[in-house]
Amino acid sequence: MVFDTYEFTSRGGRSYNEDSAGSRTDGEHGIFVVADGLGGHSFGELASAAVRDALLDGFPCRDGDPAQWLEAQIAEANQRVLQLQQEKNAVMKSTAAALYVMGSRAIWAHAGDSRLYYIHEGRITACTEDHSVAYKKYKAGEITKREIAFDEDQSRLLRSIGGVDHNEPTIRVYEEFLSPGDAFLLCSDGAWEFLDDEEIVIDLLKSTCAKQWTEYLLLRMMERIKGGNDNLTLLTVKLM
């Protein structure tokens, strides 16, 4: 499996960018990460960078169970953020969405409301369910899926990286085999709030590479952003 990837991150309408993204590949193994820092005054940027770096620094998983490796690296990320809190005497945390691909197999993990989508044969699957109060309200039938992005509780997270508790990621081992032509989108809430599932698929099908797919998604978003918007980050992955 060959990886075609592209990253885009922007501070949007904010004064600074607290999102981080990154990826590394080694043969048929790849790690892909998007993190959204919480804290303000650049401290969120430090937290998200610590999460990204903890996952990239430990790559690849050479022995043992990749799911356990992913869980261990996120635990390491949590410790790094806790250490930063002590050094800066400040509260800072981060979300995380991480994808590990090994050949035709995939494992993913998330904490908070950064998301991961998987597209196979023109069908999209939301691989993550936000750890947020707004998402709980959606699951309970109180609001629609589209209303999550605009709900007053959208930013109230139930899990995040950088705490002594409520820091556990949700980890899933994908049971099916990946195929060439499959694709993944990792993104922060500043991006997914402007995109519908079917639009993500349409723009993938129109594109010839990960960069073009990202550009199509950004064109849609730019038409909807009114200013003062959150940081936004997209990491697209196409399997060749």
Side-chain angles (χ1 to χ4, degrees):
M1 204 77 71
V2 177
F3 303 103
D4 175 23
T5 67
Y6 190 76
E7 299 169 22
F8 176 88
T9 187
S10 169
R11 64 183 175 88
R14 303 293 173 83
S15 300
Y16 38 82
N17 190 354
E18 296 185 301
D19 287 358
S20 294
S23 64
R24 285 186 182 170
T25 60
D26 183 358
E28 290 197 330
H29 286 237
I31 181 74
F32 311 91
V33 185
V34 164
D36 179 356
L38 319 169
H41 306 294
S42 297
F43 292 138
E45 177 183 356
L46 296 177
S48 67
V51 171
R52 175 199 62 202
D53 293 346
L55 285 155
L56 299 186
D57 291 348
F59 175 80
C61 171
R62 300 195 179 278
D63 300 297
D65 181 358
Q68 293 179 356
W69 175 89
L70 190 55
E71 184 175 16
Q73 293 309 122
I74 292 177
E76 168 64 18
N78 193 70
Q79 290 303 310
R80 292 191 187 190
V81 177
L82 289 173
Q83 181 62 37
L84 281 170
Q85 291 177 5
Q86 292 184 349
E87 293 174 1
K88 298 295 184 181
N89 191 29
V91 176
M92 63 183 90
K93 296 184 180 182
S94 178
T95 70
L99 167 69
Y100 193 110
V101 176
M102 61 223 128
S104 60
R105 307 312 300 263
I107 298 167
W108 50 75
H110 83 288
D113 62 354
S114 289
R115 291 185 178 179
L116 171 64
Y117 297 91
Y118 171 50
I119 300 93
H120 172 73
E121 295 183 346
R123 295 187 298 274
I124 187 169
T125 300
C127 303
T128 55
E129 296 188 351
D130 305 345
H131 298 132
S132 70
V133 174
Y135 201 89
K136 288 285 188 183
K137 291 165 72 172
Y138 157 65
K139 295 292 284 187
E142 298 177 22
I143 60 175
T144 67
K145 187 175 182 180
R146 191 72 191 93
E147 289 173 330
I148 294 172
F150 312 105
D151 189 79
E152 60 184 0
D153 292 319
Q154 192 270 320
S155 61
R156 291 181 60 193
L157 300 185
L158 302 174
R159 297 192 208 177
S160 59
I161 307 300
V164 294
D165 54 16
H166 305 298
N167 55 39
E168 306 88 355
T170 297
I171 297 178
R172 180 184 174 191
V173 178
Y174 186 56
E175 299 297 338
E176 305 296 328
F177 290 102
L178 305 178
S179 305
D182 289 355
F184 293 91
L185 168 65
L186 296 86
C187 53
S188 62
D189 63 332
W192 61 251
E193 66 178 340
F194 294 107
L195 297 170
D196 291 327
D197 290 3
E198 59 271 19
E199 295 173 338
I200 295 172
V201 176
I202 289 169
D203 288 343
L204 170 64
L205 296 176
K206 291 191 303 183
S207 66
T208 59
C209 62
K211 180 180 179 182
Q212 188 177 54
W213 181 23
T214 306
E215 290 171 344
Y216 283 142
L217 293 172
L218 288 170
L219 284 173
R220 287 189 186 274
M221 294 166 59
M222 293 306 107
E223 293 177 352
R224 298 166 183 173
I225 291 173
K226 304 301 182 183
N229 60 299
D230 197 0
N231 309 147
L232 57 98
T233 298
L234 302 165
L235 197 167
T236 52
V237 183
K238 294 186 71 175
L239 305 182
M240 313 295 284

